[in-house]
Every structure is written in C-alpha cells, then in structure tokens.
Amino acid sequence: MTTLQMFGTANDSIVDGPGLRYSVFVQGCSHHCPGCHNEESQPREGGYTAQIEDIVNDICENKLISGVTLTGGEPLEQAEGCLELAKILKEKGYNLWVYSGYLYEDILEGKPSPAARDLIDVCDVLVDGPFVQALNSYELKWKGSSNQRVIDLNETRKQGSIVLWQEEELDFQIPESW
Ligand code: SF4
C-alpha cells in the first residue's frame, strides 16, 4: 500500500473546514510562501512516513469526525498517496477538503501531476492559491489571504465554471410558544 510523508495530524480540528474534522498535514511544499503558517512542513526531507491504512484507521476511531482535510505542506505534491487516501475516505462517506498552493485552473491542466487533478475530482472543496502575506487577514474564514478561493468542487463540476463554497446558514427561529 502507498505511504504518505507526513508532518502530522490533528483529530479535532475546527479551523480547516466546517464541523469536527481530521486534518492530515503532509510534509513538503515547494511554494515557500513568505509568512507560511507551517514553515516546518516545507522541506521534503523530514517528518515521518505513514501507511495510508494506518491514517484511515486513526480517522475511523473518532466517530464524531465528519470531515477530513488534506493540508500541509502541499498535498498535491504527494497526489498519488493523497488520492488513494481520499478514495477510501469518500467511500466511507467523509466530506473532503484539500488545501493547495496551486491554482484550480493549473491543476486542471495537470499541475503538478495528472494525479493531482484526479485528487480534486474526489474532493468536495478546494482552497487554492499560495498564501500572500500582504493579503492576510484574520477576518477571513477558512483561508489565510484574500487571493485564495474556497471552491465548491461539486457545484463547479456541475456548472463547468468556478463556484465558491457557501457555508450553509442555520435557519433557527425561536418558536412563539417559548
Ligand atoms: S502553500 Fe501553504 S504550506 Fe506551502 S509554503 Fe505556502 S502557506 Fe506554506
């Protein structure tokens, strides 16, 4: 079975997408964005090697987790391993987000590899583009800088052009009898 070079994991993330999520931080990223939130994950050498099967088992252990986020590091630079992981998780019904420093349009053209395109085909949401320090704001949700896009991949596939992801608003009204 394929392995992933890993920086780490978090089994209780509420900052990498909606709901309680499991975040998979891969090791290695060639973008070298100044001000990167996770500089230690940039070198390709480093981290540890994990079996896909072990990551899946770890995710399944926490029954409260509804979504998994592939981040890093650059998941698309380990696209084959991430694709194998994503396919298994999709089959199990997990919602899948992926963060990448590559742009959606470039991924469609085969950057950094054809497997990267296959990977985003399996995912629900892509947060794309490099982190740009001058465009950083703590007001932004699910992304670090305003150039990045939170792309609804399901709607984008359906409509054939980029559709940004919209958070579902809970329509909660207090009943009159309260
Ligand atoms: S793409 Fe993400 S992980 Fe890679 S250098 Fe930029 S901010 Fe860091």
Side-chain angles (χ1 to χ4, degrees):
M1 200 178 237
T2 318
T3 58
L4 279 177
Q5 197 59 23
M6 297 283 293
F7 175 76
T9 61
N11 69 1
D12 56 356
S13 172
I14 52 166
V15 295
D16 299 318
L20 186 68
R21 309 183 75 82
Y22 188 104
S23 297
V24 175
F25 299 92
V26 300
Q27 181 74 36
C29 177
S30 66
H31 300 293
H32 301 294
C33 312
C36 168
H37 66 291
N38 200 0
E39 222 168 286
E40 301 81 8
S41 71
Q42 289 183 17
R44 276 182 205 287
E45 56 296 333
Y48 61 94
T49 306
Q51 300 284 334
I52 303 285
E53 191 181 4
D54 292 338
I55 302 171
V56 172
N57 290 341
D58 199 32
I59 292 168
C60 293
E61 243 175 51
N62 185 347
K63 303 291 176 221
L64 298 176
I65 286 169
S66 59
V68 177
T69 300
L70 304 171
T71 182
E74 174 54 81
L76 269 53
E77 290 175 359
Q78 293 192 57
E80 286 185 5
C82 286
L83 175 61
E84 189 170 325
L85 175 63
K87 281 181 175 169
I88 297 170
L89 295 171
K90 199 76 225 169
E91 224 161 79
K92 291 183 180 294
Y94 288 97
N95 170 267
L96 295 179
W97 280 41
V98 57
Y99 280 74
S100 174
Y102 292 94
L103 293 175
Y104 175 74
E105 293 83 350
D106 294 336
I107 301 166
L108 285 195
E109 285 182 5
K111 270 193 191 167
S113 68
R117 185 188 167 135
D118 296 341
L119 173 61
I120 62 163
D121 265 348
V122 181
C123 292
D124 298 291
V125 168
L126 166 72
V127 185
D128 82 336
F131 172 71
V132 178
Q133 212 163 8
L135 301 177
N136 169 236
S137 164
Y138 294 110
E139 305 284 297
L140 298 168
K141 204 165 182 193
W142 311 130
K143 57 185 188 175
S145 55
S146 59
N147 60 299
Q148 296 171 315
R149 298 171 296 183
V150 183
I151 299 173
D152 183 334
L153 292 172
N154 295 317
E155 277 305 309
T156 297
R157 283 188 282 269
K158 243 187 254 168
Q159 299 191 22
S161 58
I162 290 183
V163 179
L164 296 181
W165 184 78
Q166 303 286 338
E167 190 139 21
E168 274 175 37
E169 289 193 18
L170 288 178
D171 186 18
F172 179 77
Q173 287 173 351
I174 298 175
E176 276 175 26
S177 56
W178 275 28

